[in-house]
Amino acid sequence: RSVGMDLVPALGIAIPVGKDSLSMKTAWQEENSSREVVSPLSLVVTAFSPVEDVRKTVTPQLRTDAGDTDLLLIDLGFGKNRLAGSALAQVYNCTGESAPDIDEPATLKAFFNAIQELLRRDLLLAYHDRSDGGLFVALAEMAFAGNVGVDVQLRSLPSNTNAVLFSEEAGAVLQIRSRQFADVMGIMEMAGLGDALHTVGALNQTQQLVINRREDELFLAPLHELKSLWWSTSWQMSRMRDNPQCADEEYAAIANPEDPGLRPQLTFDPNLAIAERLISATAVDARPRVAILREQGVNGHMEMAAAFSAAGFEAVDVHMSDIINGDISLSSFQGLAACGGFSYGDVMGAGGGWANTIRNNPRAFDEFSAFFSKGDGFGLGICNGCQMMSQLSDLIPGAAFWPAFRRNKSEQFEARVAMVEVFKSPSIFLKDMQGSRLPVALAHGEGRCVFNDEEKIAEANVALAYVDNAGNLAEKYPANPNGSPYGVTGLCSDDGRFTIMMPHPERVYRSVTNSWAPPQWGARGPWLRMFENARLAVG
């Protein structure tokens, strides 16, 4: 009743389907009687909404490149600071009597609209909700994300310090530019939230979280110590579930006070619109054709097609059944791209089922053999496509020393951001990018390179390798997410026409599609250059 009849109508939103939640029940025995409650013990609401401009999203990462900034608390509990059900209450094994609530739905709606206005006017640098751990946790996590210390001042907040810091009332912490405080306050007052706004702190240069009330210092701790505590539960769970060595290596990295965080380094200018000049000088119907290959279970074809299209190619969707049935021939394409995903659910080994489909079907085998050897085509294999092409290396001239790809050392599917360095190689895709260190998305369960002879890795034409945040070849987890020797994660053929890699540059060829990117990057992400290089190579 509270959610469906009071809150939702007041907010002007809808619950389109309740699934079968209200038909569920919990039953138990109590002394000599049976009891049951119709409906689950907890309510889970999954929200969805249109996003007008993904570039206007905001994260908890505190910005250090915006001059003087302030941290503001928007307290939608208006000083009540109820603690029942909070993480603090659970730590002390108590429930409490008064839990946080939305007393006035109109206030929550006004808050949402005010935040949207701040985003539209570019007044919001960072944002973190308060209702999962309280003010203390929100401030700590913002400091972790920005890798910067914070000075907190509780002067304007109620005197019960524990309640102020750990109440999980609705609200948020915002980072704004100090010079724009009046603009922010004006928007909050127009929303009726002027009394909910409190200035609670600013950044410091000490890599510490410091909490004060007026002149009294209440708390001080280095960020790396707090991060160790924050991560400790995940670490212990990971040690039991995953490879304990990898869990320990990740925990050591989290606790490292010298870790500088992600630091991209570019040896080229991504804003030079190389492909755009080629496209403008070429008729649309004269674009080189590239086959965007997929197999049952492969799901990365849309991003791959978008990246090649942005670089001036005509991207053509080609399913393996099209080749097997003779409906499409690879001879009509300048290039091919084998996409990532889970071919055959990976039940035959990563990329193995896909490779065997080619080997065991005469028409497909002849098509791929002819394409690989014709001398003027090119190919790119990403993730599952990388694994497939590596298992066909005997068909690809100059790929004899490519490795196989086996189960990650962590024993887990790794979906994260990693840093890679581009090495000097003949790859047509990575021309003039050598020396660059770039963040890239990855998602694979079997990406560990296994070479027949590690002494001949140099002959395998290594093009990409994982590096840590200091720029060193990554041997430890998670900077090296799969345990590959020397961090190897991308290779090419001797003539550079065929390149394979485990990461997903096609997912991040636009700056905005990176989960994190330096603010100074323009709309064109650096990984677009890889696809532009292929366009230049074919003329």
Side-chain angles (χ1 to χ4, degrees):
R1 176 183 182 86
S2 177
V3 173
M5 300 184 70
D6 297 335
L7 182 62
V8 166
L11 295 178
I13 61 177
I15 300 177
V17 62
K19 216 167 171 46
D20 58 351
S21 302
L22 296 181
S23 65
M24 296 173 64
K25 66 180 180 180
T26 300
W28 69 94
Q29 290 292 126
E30 191 172 282
E31 295 181 352
N32 296 321
S33 63
S34 297
R35 301 288 301 276
E36 68 178 36
V37 174
V38 179
S39 78
L41 293 178
S42 62
L43 173 68
V44 177
V45 178
T46 301
F48 60 92
S49 172
V51 177
E52 295 176 0
D53 188 345
V54 72
R55 293 169 296 184
K56 292 293 186 180
T57 55
V58 66
T59 78
Q61 179 203 344
L62 290 175
R63 295 273 297 276
T64 59
D65 61 342
D68 293 334
T69 65
D70 294 322
L71 300 179
L72 310 180
L73 168 65
I74 311 299
D75 174 20
L76 299 187
F78 293 94
K80 292 186 175 68
N81 292 322
R82 293 163 287 198
L83 285 168
S86 66
L88 181 70
Q90 293 177 52
V91 165
Y92 287 98
N93 198 28
C94 61
T95 303
E97 297 180 357
S98 182
D101 201 355
I102 302 297
D103 299 314
E104 296 291 340
T107 301
L108 180 61
K109 188 171 183 177
F111 167 76
F112 176 84
N113 290 330
I115 295 299
Q116 296 306 302
E117 182 63 19
L118 293 178
L119 287 170
R120 278 191 287 270
R121 293 175 56 177
D122 193 30
L123 296 174
L124 197 53
L125 298 173
Y127 175 100
H128 196 312
D129 69 282
R130 180 180 58 162
S131 59
D132 187 10
L135 177 61
F136 181 92
V137 171
L139 290 166
E141 291 182 344
M142 295 178 85
F144 300 159
N147 199 26
V148 61
V150 173
D151 285 327
V152 181
Q153 178 54 257
L154 305 180
R155 180 183 294 109
S156 66
L157 297 171
S159 59
N160 187 332
T161 300
N162 279 344
V164 165
L165 291 176
F166 297 104
S167 169
E168 298 180 16
E169 297 277 2
V173 178
L174 320 179
Q175 182 192 25
I176 67 166
R177 299 173 184 87
S178 300
R179 58 183 169 80
Q180 294 175 329
F181 178 84
D183 297 325
V184 174
M185 175 59 88
I187 291 172
M188 288 298 165
E189 288 181 338
M190 287 290 292
L193 298 174
D195 292 340
L197 188 150
H198 303 268
T199 301
V200 294
L203 309 187
N204 66 42
Q205 303 299 316
T206 66
Q207 288 286 300
Q208 295 175 322
L209 177 61
V210 184
I211 300 177
N212 301 286
R213 187 180 288 280
R214 295 184 175 82
E215 305 305 320
D216 297 330
E217 183 178 277
L218 305 180
F219 179 85
L220 182 151
L223 289 186
H224 71 276
E225 291 183 3
L226 291 175
K227 284 174 69 177
S228 296
L229 291 168
W230 177 72
W231 198 267
S232 58
T233 302
S234 298
W235 168 50
Q236 294 292 355
M237 291 171 61
S238 183
R239 290 196 95 255
M240 291 187 287
R241 183 193 64 190
D242 310 332
N243 183 325
Q245 179 184 346
C246 291
D248 291 344
E249 290 174 354
E250 184 172 35
Y251 189 58
I254 286 291
N256 178 13
E258 305 300 324
D259 187 350
L262 296 176
R263 291 292 186 272
Q265 171 182 295
L266 300 182
T267 58
F268 62 95
D269 182 0
N271 294 309
L272 293 177
I274 295 173
E276 289 178 12
R277 294 200 297 271
L278 280 171
I279 295 167
S280 64
T282 306
V284 173
D285 59 3
R287 288 187 172 200
R289 300 176 80 229
V290 58
I292 308 300
L293 288 175
R294 58 190 176 96
E295 178 56 288
Q296 185 273 331
V298 164
N299 55 30
H301 51 290
M302 297 298 286
E303 298 97 325
M304 189 76 82
F308 274 101
S309 296
F313 287 92
E314 178 189 355
V316 181
D317 180 41
V318 178
H319 195 279
M320 282 298 300
S321 58
D322 297 323
I323 297 172
I324 292 171
N325 295 336
D327 298 328
I328 293 178
S329 173
L330 292 178
S331 62
S332 63
F333 294 96
Q334 189 77 42
L336 64 81
C339 305
F342 302 92
S343 61
Y344 296 100
D346 282 350
V347 295
M348 299 184 206
W354 193 352
N356 287 333
T357 298
I358 295 169
R359 286 193 182 278
N360 295 326
N361 183 277
R363 177 177 279 133
F365 184 85
D366 291 344
E367 284 281 345
F368 279 88
S369 297
F371 185 89
F372 290 147
S373 61
K374 71 177 185 175
D376 61 351
F378 68 85
L380 175 66
I382 298 291
C383 193
N384 217 223
C386 164
Q387 296 155 342
M388 178 271 279
M389 287 178 65
S390 76
Q391 295 192 43
L392 299 178
S393 59
D394 58 313
L395 305 181
I396 301 173
F401 295 104
W402 282 1
F405 291 86
R406 299 290 185 249
R407 183 73 176 162
N408 294 341
K409 184 179 177 182
S410 67
E411 295 294 331
Q412 290 296 318
F413 181 86
E414 295 292 337
R416 59 172 71 238
V417 173
M419 287 284 288
V420 295
E421 181 168 342
V422 181
F423 292 158
K424 185 176 181 179
S425 75
S427 172
I428 64 168
F429 287 94
L430 301 172
K431 180 178 170 57
D432 297 331
M433 295 174 66
Q434 58 264 25
S436 295
R437 298 175 191 151
L438 297 167
V440 66
L442 58 91
H444 58 257
E446 298 180 83
R448 179 172 54 89
C449 291
V450 177
F451 291 88
N452 287 332
D453 186 349
E454 287 195 13
E455 293 183 359
K456 293 189 176 182
I457 287 180
E459 298 181 52
N461 291 311
V462 173
L464 287 178
Y466 297 114
V467 293
D468 60 26
N469 290 340
N472 304 311
L473 284 179
E475 292 281 1
K476 294 184 177 181
Y477 183 85
N480 183 328
N482 49 47
S484 293
Y486 309 105
V488 173
T489 192
L491 307 101
C492 69
S493 58
D494 289 345
D495 61 5
R497 292 188 302 113
F498 296 94
T499 298
I500 59 172
M501 61 182 69
M502 287 308 300
H504 286 272
E506 79 284 4
R507 293 184 179 178
V508 289
Y509 76 91
R510 299 177 64 207
S511 293
V512 72
T513 57
N514 287 262
S515 60
W516 176 85
Q520 65 270 22
W521 281 7
R524 302 162 51 83
W527 284 111
L528 180 58
R529 177 61 60 86
M530 194 179 99
F531 300 93
E532 291 177 329
N533 280 338
R535 177 67 178 84
L536 288 170
V538 300

